[in-house]
Amino acid sequence: MTTDEAADLLRESEVVIEAIRAQGKGGQNVNKVSNAVHLRFDIRASSLPDAIKTRLLSMSDRRVTSEGVVVIKAQTERSLEANREDALARLRALIAAAAVVRRPRRPTKTTRSAKRRRMDSKTHRGRIKALRGRVEE
């Protein structure tokens, strides 16, 4: 699933966006303007399909809290609108990643001939190393 398809699944009315003051450098601008964005998205209360909800909740992502709320903080840009778009894009990317269904891995065994080749090469290497020893007459 692409981020465009994830954008179709996401309803912006379910996203809570709050303007906060950014941290770090920036001088007077950082101290007086609330340009950072705190985005909160409740997975359980959303209209996402159940399969995507389950995958989002089971992700080991630090942005997903134990209550099932996605919390994203965006403060890299100078404008509030740019930070808002950045936070929404990151949420869409997270949903798109959860929407991808991975094929289950089928366990395989090493073939008998591969085991034999490995053991033959180890034996051959051991003989070469044994020939490096002291020569006795």
Side-chain angles (χ1 to χ4, degrees), residues 63-107:
R63 295 173 293 186
V64 180
T65 65
S66 58
E67 293 85 35
V69 178
V70 178
V71 179
I72 296 175
K73 183 177 181 183
Q75 62 180 12
T76 56
E77 306 297 328
R78 283 183 63 92
S79 72
L80 181 69
E81 293 79 23
N83 279 328
R84 184 179 183 280
E85 287 304 314
D86 179 42
L88 284 171
R90 285 165 37 196
L91 178 61
R92 287 185 193 107
L94 185 69
I95 292 171
V100 174
V101 180
R102 296 186 58 176
R103 288 195 344 239
R105 182 189 173 276
R106 286 180 33 215

Side-chain angles (χ1 to χ4, degrees), residues 13-129:
S13 61
E14 298 173 345
V15 178
V16 177
I17 296 176
E18 180 184 358
I20 58 171
R21 288 208 175 135
Q23 295 175 324
K25 296 182 282 186
Q28 185 179 358
N29 190 58
V30 161
N31 296 334
K32 70 177 187 176
V33 182
S34 298
N35 279 343
V37 168
H38 213 188
L39 179 143
R40 295 177 68 79
F41 177 71
D42 190 359
I43 298 169
R44 290 186 177 100
S46 70
S47 62
L48 292 174
D50 289 336
I52 295 176
K53 282 184 188 180
T54 309
R55 277 190 231 110
L56 271 172
L57 291 169
S58 66
M59 284 178 116
S60 59
D61 195 314
R62 63 190 178 113
R63 295 173 293 186
V64 180
T65 65
S66 58
E67 293 85 35
V69 178
V70 178
V71 179
I72 296 175
K73 183 177 181 183
Q75 62 180 12
T76 56
E77 306 297 328
R78 283 183 63 92
S79 72
L80 181 69
E81 293 79 23
N83 279 328
R84 184 179 183 280
E85 287 304 314
D86 179 42
L88 284 171
R90 285 165 37 196
L91 178 61
R92 287 185 193 107
L94 185 69
I95 292 171
V100 174
V101 180
R102 296 186 58 176
R103 288 195 344 239
R105 182 189 173 276
R106 286 180 33 215
T108 58
K109 277 182 146 180
T110 312
T111 62
R112 189 177 295 149
S113 60
K115 287 180 186 175
R116 185 182 44 76
R117 282 194 308 268
R118 182 176 152 269
M119 293 312 290
D120 288 348
S121 69
K122 285 169 74 80
T123 306
H124 179 69
R125 195 86 194 130
R127 286 189 187 130
I128 290 173
K129 288 186 175 191

